[in-house]
Amino acid sequence: MSQHQRTVRVGLIAVLALLVTACGGTTRGSDDSPTANQATGQANPDAALVEGLDVAFLPKQVNNPYFTVADGGGKTATEEFKGKYKEVGPSEASASSQVSYINTLSQQQTDVIVTSANDPNAICGALNSARQAGAKVVTFDSDTKPECRDVFVNQVTAEGIAENQVKLISEQIGGEGKIAVLSATPNATNQNAWIELMRGELKKPEYAKIELVTVAYGNDEDQKSFQETQGLLRSYPDLKGIVSPTTVGVAAAARYLSGSEYKGKVALTGLGTPNQMREFVKDGTVKSFALWSPADLGYLAAYAGAALASGQITGASGEKFKAGKLGEYTIGADGIVVLGPPTVFDQGNIDKFDF
Amino acid sequence: MARDVVRSTLARWDTVLLVVLAAVVVVAGVLVEGFASGRNFQFLLLDVVAIALIALPLTLIVITGEIDLSVASTLGLCSAVMGQLWVAGLSLELVVVLVVGLGAVLGAVNAVFVTRFALPSLAVTIGTLAAYRGLAFVVLGDQAVADFPFSWTTAASSTVGGGSVPWAAVVTLVLAVVFGVVLHATPFGRSLYAMGNNAEAATFSGIRVARAKFWLFVVSGAVSGLAGVYWTLRFASARADNAAGLELAVVAAVLLGGVSIFGGRGTLLGVLAGVLLLGAVRNALQLADVAADTLNVVTGGLLIASVVVPNVVGMARTRWRRRQRTA
């Protein structure tokens, strides 16, 4: 064995040895044990909202149009209760990129952190450190593990989406005929849950004449969704309607329909944003579709944070708080607040929204 | 003579960096609220540990005139495999050993292409950068494995005696000393500089260039695997996209640390100073509420400065010397 070979091998062994000893040594500390989500203090529903609260919005990613609108709603709310608003966050939405921002906010003694988690686990430790340092943590849009935040503001329940989508398509096809679903990826957890619930919803007597013939997958790619729509209409010439509960899918399907002979004959609904669907609603391709309002979501999350920081609520189930123009909300199981049923957009109201 | 010039410039770059680092720490400590606290130093160190770890073997590789851009993808693949092995029910001790071993194997794949097939390491490791990341998604998809034991995940961010120095930073420092001794105090280490300056001459003087490079890539892979273990436990999340893009931060730190991208120059102390400097600047700017995009611009600017400044200084000095000699 040559000299340098030996040196490198010794180095390798040293690395492994250190690794083993490091693991033995590090198990001693356990500085940030998880804080229980249960109410630690007493809630005082009559407490006034504290003025001058530092409220920080930490989206999955800055400069993402969806979060720009959602955080904008948070800003409106924060101004209403006379707090100090700011938005910080990573430029890319990776699992761990939010951690250093949470640490920074904790260091800055921020009163309320409102965040949408890129990963339900990766930011848990950092959030709990921040809570130990005195911050109240509200998640919105995407939750962390429940023990890492005080309240989760959910845009809508899965049941709410399924109910809404089935109702919309039924209205559009006159309660009768074959329909198909254009989903995102075959393993998208959200989508699959919604589709399962939609199947259950379709078993109700009022939808007895509607048949869900197939589920196609556009992988949340514009081109693929476009082609899948084309494929659906070719495979099922008597198809009456398509439900696409994904913003990419519904826009691509609308574009295909609007340029084809099926325009106005095959119904389309789904979850989309007013800006991407406006032209298709106006040209008659799409009658109505739905989505929650991201601005309201951020607005509600900011109020939930202020209510926590002011001692009105602690995050326990059954507590109530007022969220400005949105009215009163009650916290459900696991500290979850639901914004409400999705907003339905049609020719009558679409011009009132810009996101 | 030329070598003396190079050496003295180098020594200066080390010193310059340490002075700049000290200045940044002092200025940020005074100006930026929340910077000068034990907790913040803990956060800062935890954030730079993975970069520092991977930078150690990379420093040696770049000194020989090669590069390894697959380090972050190796980290990601090791993280993904760690998740799957843990789900499969293996003991975590065994998983860690296997994962570091896997890192070494991935490094060996790079090594074979670079040394046996004599392909440029830049091309090879750009290839494996994509391939290993792709494999990571094959292994774990877009899922995350998170149910690691609490004692292990807290261990990844636990500190010495509950103070502000994380154990992970201590381990990194010990490894840095090992790498520093190998690089600066052994014939093997000196042979790396020879390879970087002139591989052909090094070969003729009896240095086994290919063999040395082979083991450097293996070690780089193993340390990336180790960084993968740290990353997974620190964020309690094994994911295929873990540390995506981190290779740029590591290369930036190594170059800022004064290692010549053309090989033959650099010190480990400089690289550690570079890692800390980048970390401290990011941390301070973040505390000062500077937006993420601006932060990236600053980091990129520092990187360019680190390549330009030593070259300009070197050129200026050579010119000055020549003028003196002719005068």
Side-chain angles (χ1 to χ4, degrees):
Chain A
M1 204 188 276
S2 72
Q3 174 79 39
H4 68 248
Q5 224 182 328
R6 197 171 300 146
T7 323
V8 174
R9 285 189 191 172
V10 168
L12 251 180
I13 293 164
V15 171
L16 286 171
L18 270 164
L19 178 70
V20 174
T21 46
C23 295
T26 42
T27 44
R28 264 179 280 159
S30 61
D31 39 0
D32 44 11
S33 51
T35 332
N37 187 43
Q38 266 61 51
T40 41
Q42 279 289 309
N44 174 14
D46 301 323
L49 283 185
V50 174
E51 286 187 13
L53 289 171
D54 282 312
V55 179
F57 270 70
L58 172 54
K60 284 186 174 177
Q61 180 187 23
V62 288
N63 300 329
N64 168 321
Y66 176 83
F67 284 108
T68 303
V69 175
D71 294 358
K75 184 171 190 239
T76 310
T78 308
E79 279 162 3
E80 280 176 20
F81 57 73
K82 299 192 176 61
K84 281 175 243 147
Y85 164 91
K86 74 172 167 187
E87 184 202 38
V88 294
S91 51
E92 82 293 330
S94 76
S96 47
S97 53
Q98 291 173 313
V99 169
S100 70
Y101 285 92
I102 296 168
N103 288 341
T104 299
L105 291 173
S106 155
Q107 221 22 51
Q108 292 169 332
Q109 314 279 319
T110 308
D111 299 310
V112 178
I113 299 175
V114 183
T115 187
S116 174
N118 281 324
D119 179 294
N121 302 289
I123 62 173
C124 254
L127 284 181
N128 273 327
S129 301
R131 289 167 75 198
Q132 276 167 5
K136 297 294 176 189
V137 173
V138 176
T139 51
F140 74 125
D141 181 70
S142 286
D143 200 6
T144 60
K145 288 191 290 185
E147 63 264 29
C148 311
R149 45 78 176 157
D150 296 293
V151 164
F152 170 48
V153 178
N154 197 354
Q155 49 269 53
V156 66
T157 59
E159 289 78 9
I161 295 220
E163 218 169 276
N164 164 277
Q165 299 280 285
V166 170
K167 182 165 165 274
L168 287 183
I169 197 73
S170 172
E171 281 169 9
Q172 294 183 24
I173 62 172
E176 189 173 349
K178 291 182 178 172
I179 60 164
V181 169
L182 175 64
S183 179
T185 55
N187 54 3
T189 322
N190 265 355
Q191 296 277 327
N192 288 345
W194 296 340
I195 294 168
E196 246 351 272
L197 288 164
M198 280 162 64
R199 288 185 198 278
E201 187 72 16
L202 284 168
K203 291 204 179 89
K204 287 186 179 168
E206 62 260 44
Y207 302 127
K209 289 182 183 158
I210 299 176
E211 185 195 355
L212 173 56
V213 288
T214 188
V215 177
Y217 298 97
N219 290 348
D220 257 352
E221 288 165 21
D222 180 73
Q223 290 283 314
K224 182 94 176 8
S225 304
F226 188 88
Q227 287 161 2
E228 287 294 324
T229 310
Q230 192 173 19
L232 279 176
L233 292 163
R234 214 172 278 154
S235 315
Y236 303 94
D238 53 347
L239 199 68
K240 277 283 175 24
I242 298 174
V243 181
S244 187
T246 152
T247 54
V248 179
V250 75
R255 211 172 66 247
Y256 175 76
L257 287 180
S258 74
S260 78
E261 56 187 297
Y262 305 104
K263 178 176 168 182
K265 290 177 190 149
V266 174
L268 170 69
T269 192
L271 299 178
T273 70
N275 285 353
Q276 64 179 163
M277 300 300 286
R278 195 176 327 271
E279 57 172 310
F280 305 116
V281 168
K282 296 209 161 158
D283 77 2
T285 309
V286 175
K287 281 209 186 71
S288 63
F289 65 97
L291 198 70
W292 50 89
S293 155
D296 285 351
L297 187 65
Y299 183 91
L300 176 56
Y303 265 102
L308 282 164
S310 308
Q312 284 182 356
I313 55 172
T314 61
S317 147
E319 291 172 352
K320 293 179 197 301
F321 66 99
K322 285 202 181 62
K325 61 171 188 192
L326 293 178
E328 192 176 68
Y329 281 83
T330 308
I331 299 174
D334 282 332
I336 298 175
V337 179
V338 180
L339 176 62
T343 307
V344 175
F345 306 99
D346 56 26
Q347 222 152 18
N349 71 355
I350 195 160
D351 281 335
K352 289 183 196 145
F353 298 92
D354 182 20
F355 68 93
Chain B
M1 183 65 204
R3 179 165 284 188
D4 287 345
V5 175
V6 169
R7 279 226 182 108
S8 60
T9 322
L10 249 188
R12 283 196 183 180
W13 187 249
D14 277 10
T15 331
V16 168
L17 269 187
L18 286 169
V19 170
V20 172
L21 175 62
V24 166
V25 169
V26 170
V27 170
V30 173
L31 294 183
V32 182
E33 209 187 320
F35 183 84
S37 81
R39 256 167 72 85
N40 190 50
F41 282 115
Q42 179 194 342
F43 292 148
L44 200 166
L45 288 174
L46 283 171
D47 281 348
V48 298
V49 157
I51 295 174
L53 268 179
I54 300 174
L56 300 176
L58 191 64
T59 301
L60 275 59
I61 288 178
V62 177
I63 284 174
T64 69
E66 303 288 349
I67 194 147
D68 184 353
L69 292 179
S70 71
V71 285
S73 297
T74 302
L75 190 165
L77 178 50
C78 286
S79 178
V81 169
M82 184 173 170
Q84 284 294 20
L85 292 178
W86 173 244
V87 168
L90 273 66
S91 83
L92 206 43
E93 287 81 359
L94 181 60
V95 170
V96 169
V97 172
L98 288 176
V99 162
V100 175
L102 170 69
V105 171
L106 297 174
V109 172
N110 285 332
V112 167
F113 281 112
V114 172
T115 60
R116 297 288 143 85
F117 301 133
L119 296 168
S121 53
L122 184 69
V124 170
T125 58
I126 283 180
T128 49
L129 179 157
Y132 292 169
R133 186 64 73 183
L135 264 178
F137 280 98
V138 171
V139 169
L140 199 57
D142 57 1
Q143 304 294 303
V145 175
D147 57 342
F148 296 101
F150 188 65
S151 59
W152 284 68
T153 52
T154 44
S157 48
S158 73
T159 55
V160 181
S164 48
V165 181
W167 277 105
V170 175
V171 174
T172 307
L173 186 65
V174 173
L175 277 177
V177 170
V178 173
F179 276 90
V181 168
V182 169
L183 178 63
H184 297 297
T186 66
F188 172 76
R190 257 164 277 149
S191 75
L192 299 182
Y193 288 98
M195 284 174 222
N197 279 321
N198 189 336
E200 224 168 298
T203 312
F204 280 121
S205 58
I207 296 171
R208 290 175 155 178
V209 175
R211 186 167 293 196
K213 286 182 179 174
F214 186 94
W215 286 107
L216 286 183
F217 278 100
V218 171
V219 172
S220 174
V223 173
S224 300
L226 180 64
V229 170
Y230 167 73
W231 195 283
T232 307
L233 293 177
R234 157 126 161 85
F235 299 113
S237 195
R239 290 177 63 113
D241 65 352
N242 268 347
L246 195 78
E247 64 279 306
L248 290 181
V250 182
V251 171
V254 168
L255 297 188
L256 180 64
V259 178
S260 164
I261 191 73
F262 307 110
R265 296 200 281 143
T267 65
L268 211 61
L269 183 66
V271 170
L272 286 183
V275 169
L276 286 173
L277 181 58
L278 280 177
V281 167
R282 277 194 90 86
N283 177 286
L285 291 181
Q286 217 168 284
L287 273 171
D289 286 334
V290 172
D293 301 312
T294 318
L295 240 155
N296 290 339
V297 173
V298 171
T299 312
L302 267 178
L303 178 59
I304 293 172
S306 72
V307 178
V308 171
V309 171
N311 276 319
V312 170
V313 170
M315 263 158 54
R317 296 175 91 232
T318 325
R319 238 177 243 173
W320 185 71
R321 291 248 164 121
R322 260 190 220 140
R323 207 172 292 161
Q324 277 214 320
R325 234 175 282 158
T326 48

